[in-house]
Amino acid sequence: MFLRLISGPPRLLVLLLLFFSAHAVRADADADLAAKLGFKLIRLAQRGETTSFLVAGTPAQLRQRKPVVVLCQGSEVRPLIAVDDKGPFFIGWPGDLKSYQDRYHFVIVGKPGLPLVAPVAALTPAMDYADPATGRAPLAWLAHDTPQQYAATAEAVLRYLRRQPWVDPHNTAVVGVSQGYHTAVWLAKRDCHVTHAALLASNPYSRLHQYVAEVRAEQYRGTLAPARAQSQVDSLYLQYRALVAGTEAAARPWNGDFWRNWVSVTKYAAIDAMLRLRIPLFVGYGTADIGSALNDILPFEFDRRGKTNLTLHAYPGLDHHFTLPLPAKDGHPQAPEWHGDEVFKDVMAWLATPAH
């Protein structure tokens, strides 16, 4: 009734105040949820957009001056926090951070176009977010979904953090898993203050290199006829050529709405940037993950160039998610064993090695 009695500019002013008040309440609610889970939420305005990111730690830990470790997520269309009937829970990174929070500030940047917090009811069984209006990946997320753009956003976050009294500006590490492997490489290339990069569960070339390897593996096992295998490989060559062209017209017929992402990890392969980096690199992958198999040749690539900054950790039998499949027990399938915390422990030990 009050708004109905107001006319002219004052009414517009009241509506704007109500809008921004509602936004502030929502932002405060997100910050409260993050705090309950052991994170500090920071919102950074840049180029007309707002970047939300979380810093892990208790209030006392967040006052300690420490290096920053940026955690780069995979390709999931995923918020950082989900809420179900039992309350909020963190889904932005797999594994244990608390064991290392006395030594590092862990930073996880939210993806553009996605909410920071979402109810489980709004997520798929894989915990991905879909636009409620379309049931598909949000357009704003699709427009930003490349490792290069994620790296640019993370670089802006790091510029902000290095001005804070609780951040050691001289030591910055980046850890990326799956697609985050590529984001981490590009962030290290962009930001000369990054001192270490750990790259997990992907390969330095492209997904199409992986697909060629998968086709050949089927052929070698005798489950795919040689002529059929060659036909599939030839088709992958055509797709590769289209993606390297780098245009929407060339790439969209192959990869639809996700064409930008596919161009970004195909035309701009991580290997080129990796071989130019001089900082220590840790590459970790499971040997049962065919998508990571091309990491096996990295020692050849580095050694023939006289580069000594590579630490390679191959984890026998582990898959893309660093899990180990288990045989059925009493005729019933068993859940695989997850070894991701052990891999992360190796990364943390590598970071702490004085030789680096």
Side-chain angles (χ1 to χ4, degrees):
M1 181 66 68
F2 177 69
L3 289 178
R4 191 175 299 174
L5 296 175
I6 296 177
S7 61
R11 178 178 180 178
L12 177 60
L13 178 60
V14 171
L15 290 172
L16 287 172
L17 287 173
L18 287 173
F19 172 80
F20 287 113
S21 295
H23 180 77
V25 169
R26 185 166 59 252
D28 288 345
D30 289 350
D32 290 343
L33 287 179
K36 289 179 181 177
L37 296 173
F39 296 92
K40 179 178 181 178
L41 169 61
I42 300 176
R43 297 187 188 274
L44 179 64
Q46 54 177 345
R47 299 188 301 274
E49 298 181 351
T50 299
T51 298
S52 299
F53 62 95
L54 301 178
V55 185
T58 65
Q61 289 172 330
L62 291 170
R63 290 191 294 269
Q64 298 168 352
R65 185 178 175 87
K66 292 176 292 194
V68 164
V69 177
V70 180
L71 303 176
C72 301
Q73 301 167 282
S75 59
E76 299 87 0
V77 193
R78 187 170 293 173
L80 299 183
I81 297 172
V83 183
D84 63 12
D85 55 0
K86 297 180 181 178
F89 55 99
F90 177 64
I91 57 174
W93 184 260
D96 171 46
L97 300 177
K98 288 185 172 62
S99 298
Y100 313 101
Q101 287 174 187
D102 283 332
R103 288 156 46 192
Y104 303 103
H105 291 300
F106 292 102
V107 173
I108 308 100
V109 183
K111 293 185 177 182
L114 301 182
L116 182 83
V117 179
V120 169
L123 306 177
T124 69
M127 305 302 285
D128 285 333
Y129 179 81
D131 187 326
T134 64
R136 303 172 68 180
L139 293 177
W141 173 79
L142 286 167
H144 290 84
D145 181 38
T146 69
Q148 292 81 8
Q149 292 203 50
Y150 291 136
T153 301
E155 183 188 23
V157 167
L158 285 173
R159 283 200 301 270
Y160 165 83
L161 288 173
R162 292 191 184 110
R163 297 195 297 268
Q164 309 311 308
W166 41 275
V167 168
D168 176 359
H170 304 296
N171 292 284
T172 303
V174 56
V175 181
V177 62
S178 193
Q179 182 177 278
Y181 177 124
H182 302 263
T183 302
V185 168
W186 287 103
L187 178 55
K189 181 177 182 293
R190 289 181 63 98
D191 190 330
C192 64
H193 300 289
V194 170
T195 56
H196 299 74
L199 317 172
L200 307 173
S202 188
N203 79 72
Y205 294 93
S206 77
R207 297 175 183 127
L208 297 184
H209 287 73
Q210 168 191 338
Y211 295 166
V212 169
E214 289 175 346
V215 170
R216 291 301 186 207
E218 286 191 58
Q219 177 188 338
Y220 301 152
R221 287 195 299 265
T223 57
L224 188 64
R228 178 62 177 164
Q230 189 57 47
S231 175
Q232 292 184 15
V233 168
D234 289 341
S235 179
L236 290 168
Y237 290 156
L238 292 175
Q239 183 178 2
Y240 188 88
R241 191 173 303 154
L243 293 172
V244 169
T247 65
E248 180 176 3
R252 182 177 281 277
W254 293 95
N255 297 106
D257 289 344
F258 298 90
W259 68 270
R260 292 181 186 86
N261 180 278
W262 278 79
V263 167
S264 72
V265 296
T266 305
K267 182 175 182 177
Y268 307 103
I271 184 64
D272 298 329
M274 288 172 68
L275 291 171
R276 289 195 292 269
L277 292 173
R278 297 181 179 180
I279 63 172
L281 301 176
F282 178 107
V283 174
Y285 58 102
T287 61
D289 177 16
I290 195 168
S292 297
L294 287 170
N295 288 308
D296 286 340
I297 68 172
L298 284 177
F300 301 149
E301 296 280 13
F302 277 69
D303 287 349
R304 72 190 184 93
R305 291 169 174 82
K307 296 179 67 67
T308 60
N309 59 324
L310 174 68
T311 298
L312 196 76
H313 272 249
Y315 294 89
L318 300 189
D319 64 12
H320 182 68
H321 302 287
F322 295 116
T323 61
L324 180 67
L326 296 177
K329 185 176 182 180
D330 299 327
H332 300 287
Q334 293 193 80
E337 287 182 351
W338 190 65
H339 293 264
D341 280 338
E342 297 167 31
V343 174
F344 198 67
K345 183 179 180 180
D346 287 342
V347 173
M348 293 295 101
W350 168 79
L351 278 179
T353 302
H356 294 316

